[in-house]
Amino acid sequence: MATTFPSIVPSATSHAVQDYRSLGWNVTETSTGIDLTTDNRIAAVELTGAQAASVRRYLRANNLSGPVIELRGPHRREIHLVVGAAKAALAIEALRAAGATVHTDGATIALPHTNAAITWGVSPAEARWTPPLVALSAAVRATAATTIRPQLRNVAC
């Protein structure tokens, strides 16, 4: 009968879990990877298509970028991690009205580790901060306004 000994070298996944927990995130290691559970400290806003691209450019141009998860596939999908959702009911409403999916109150989000379909667009280590949800809502509103203005100029001329 062979004896097995516990590994004294933590796996890369265990290191990632420890790193995420050091950020104050509620994470769980599962059979499919690492999941973030949203709570009163961290939430997530999912954007798609041209809206995701416009918001990403706006945040980068204004030095407001936070951690962003990219979901690979035929259509662009990004999940922006944010704080302050508990005090942002109106901003959440506005985001949902603009077509965003807001993940709060115990929703789980798969975090990148070895799955090639999920990667960091902006990793937590690269991000200057984790922006408040209201800042992301303002970015969505600002980018929506800039896509409408050229149409208005054409009509007015």
Side-chain angles (χ1 to χ4, degrees):
M1 183 164 140
T3 305
T4 58
F5 297 96
S7 172
I8 57 170
V9 179
S11 69
T13 303
S14 296
H15 280 299
V17 167
Q18 291 172 359
D19 289 345
Y20 295 142
R21 286 186 179 148
S22 72
L23 297 170
W25 298 356
N26 181 9
V27 294
T28 309
E29 191 171 356
T30 67
S31 61
T32 58
I34 303 170
D35 289 345
L36 167 71
T37 302
T38 59
D39 55 24
N40 62 346
R41 291 176 307 235
I42 189 118
V45 178
E46 187 171 341
L47 303 170
T48 59
Q51 182 183 48
S54 295
V55 168
R56 185 86 161 282
R57 280 190 304 275
Y58 178 89
L59 292 171
R60 190 176 326 122
N62 290 288
N63 199 22
L64 298 172
S65 296
V68 179
I69 300 168
E70 292 179 354
L71 304 165
R72 308 269 179 186
H75 303 287
R76 183 182 188 121
R77 287 178 53 209
E78 295 182 346
I79 298 176
H80 294 257
L81 300 183
V82 294
V83 296
K87 296 180 180 182
L90 292 176
I92 291 171
E93 228 176 88
L95 283 165
R96 288 183 173 147
T101 303
V102 183
H103 303 278
T104 60
D105 301 323
T108 57
I109 305 295
L111 293 176
H113 77 293
T114 58
N115 186 341
I118 305 169
T119 61
W120 285 113
V122 179
S123 75
E126 295 170 326
R128 184 177 67 84
W129 68 335
T130 302
L133 188 138
V134 295
L136 193 71
S137 179
V140 168
R141 189 172 52 251
T143 58
T146 58
T147 57
I148 292 170
R149 278 190 201 121
Q151 294 170 353
L152 293 177
R153 281 188 210 130
N154 290 340
V155 173
C157 293

